[in-house]
Amino acid sequence: MYSNEETAKSAPRILGAMFLIVIVISLVSGVVLSLSGSISDILVKISDNLTLMRISILFGLLNSLGIVALASLLYTVLNQQNRIIALVALGLWLSEAIFYAISQIGAFALIPLSQDFVKAGTPEHSFYQTLGDFLYFGVDKQAVTIHMWFYCLGGILWYFLFYKSKFIPSAISLFGLIAASLGLVGVVCEFLGAEVPIFVYLPLLPFELTIGLWLMLRGIKDSSKI
């Protein structure tokens, strides 16, 4: 059995490893099967790659679980800095995990629809496209956008607590605050109907890699204060 002190000392390094694990799972989920084009093209591609689609969904669900674990570890490490802020951030990231899981429901529902669409001879201007458009763009993609809303809001709070704690270099904390704030602006613009280029969200990737590696390899400056 580990003592509370040993658990507290190991939590930051486990947190760093979890940051990296979630990044890997998220990237695998996104690249296993890339979908683009019209909804008819998307349905045909899913039907032709059912195994890859299921693998992508499985990794998406694993990513949702990873977010829950990540949020729990962040709360363990940072709650003594400000318990209320940490609780709010925890709730935001748990909501993020829920909406990411909801997006996978939309993706999973596309599998039988794509099979029926192909069996029907890929008819044009049919209810298949209407339902597919709803599931892919209305459920899958919109849930991912909402999940980013909760991620960015929670991230701003987590990285503020890191900045306040001085557990990691201030430059890393500020990098996270800037990246999450920029991402939040991008999400709000998407809600308002604007097209947001991918580079708005790209700073989040190097930040999570940086904080993940730092915490895993270096831990925090004074873990006895956790």
Side-chain angles (χ1 to χ4, degrees), residues 20-225:
L20 300 179
I21 289 170
V22 169
I23 291 172
V24 171
I25 293 174
S26 180
L27 290 175
V28 171
S29 176
V31 302
V32 166
L33 182 62
S34 178
L35 299 174
S36 61
S38 68
I39 190 60
S40 294
D41 295 334
I42 290 171
L43 290 174
V44 171
K45 188 167 186 178
I46 292 173
S47 180
D48 291 340
N49 299 274
L50 294 177
T51 299
L52 290 180
M53 185 65 176
R54 291 190 175 100
I55 291 173
S56 177
I57 293 169
L58 175 60
F59 273 89
L61 293 174
L62 289 174
N63 189 43
S64 185
L65 287 175
I67 293 168
V68 173
L70 189 58
S72 301
L73 287 165
L74 280 164
Y75 181 81
T76 300
V77 172
L78 294 169
N79 76 87
Q80 289 192 12
Q81 299 303 310
N82 188 305
R83 192 173 298 273
I84 293 177
I85 293 177
L87 277 173
V88 173
L90 176 65
L92 289 168
W93 273 28
L94 292 179
S95 299
E96 175 201 355
I98 290 171
F99 275 95
Y100 201 85
I102 290 173
S103 75
Q104 303 310 303
I105 295 174
F108 196 69
L110 286 168
I111 291 177
L113 180 67
S114 69
Q115 292 176 296
D116 290 343
F117 177 63
V118 172
K119 287 179 181 178
T122 63
E124 296 184 6
H125 310 298
S126 66
F127 78 94
Y128 292 106
Q129 285 90 346
T130 302
L131 183 55
D133 188 79
F134 168 73
L135 291 172
Y136 183 69
F137 294 105
V139 178
D140 186 358
K141 295 304 180 184
Q142 293 295 348
V144 170
T145 300
I146 295 173
H147 124 277
M148 283 299 299
W149 162 263
F150 286 110
Y151 167 83
C152 292
L153 286 174
I156 289 171
L157 297 182
W158 289 131
Y159 309 144
F160 165 74
L161 290 179
F162 266 121
Y163 181 78
K164 177 184 176 184
S165 70
K166 306 300 181 184
F167 284 162
I168 61 176
S170 296
I172 297 178
S173 303
L174 288 173
F175 183 13
L177 283 168
I178 293 170
S181 298
L182 185 60
L184 183 62
V185 171
V187 172
V188 171
C189 289
E190 286 194 49
F191 285 159
L192 296 176
E195 290 288 336
V196 178
I198 189 63
F199 71 78
V200 172
Y201 303 106
L202 284 181
L204 291 167
L205 178 59
F207 163 72
E208 291 193 349
L209 286 171
T210 301
I211 192 172
L213 288 170
W214 183 276
L215 289 170
M216 188 174 68
L217 299 176
R218 301 288 296 274
I220 59 179
K221 289 184 178 179
D222 188 1
S223 58
S224 65
K225 293 182 179 180

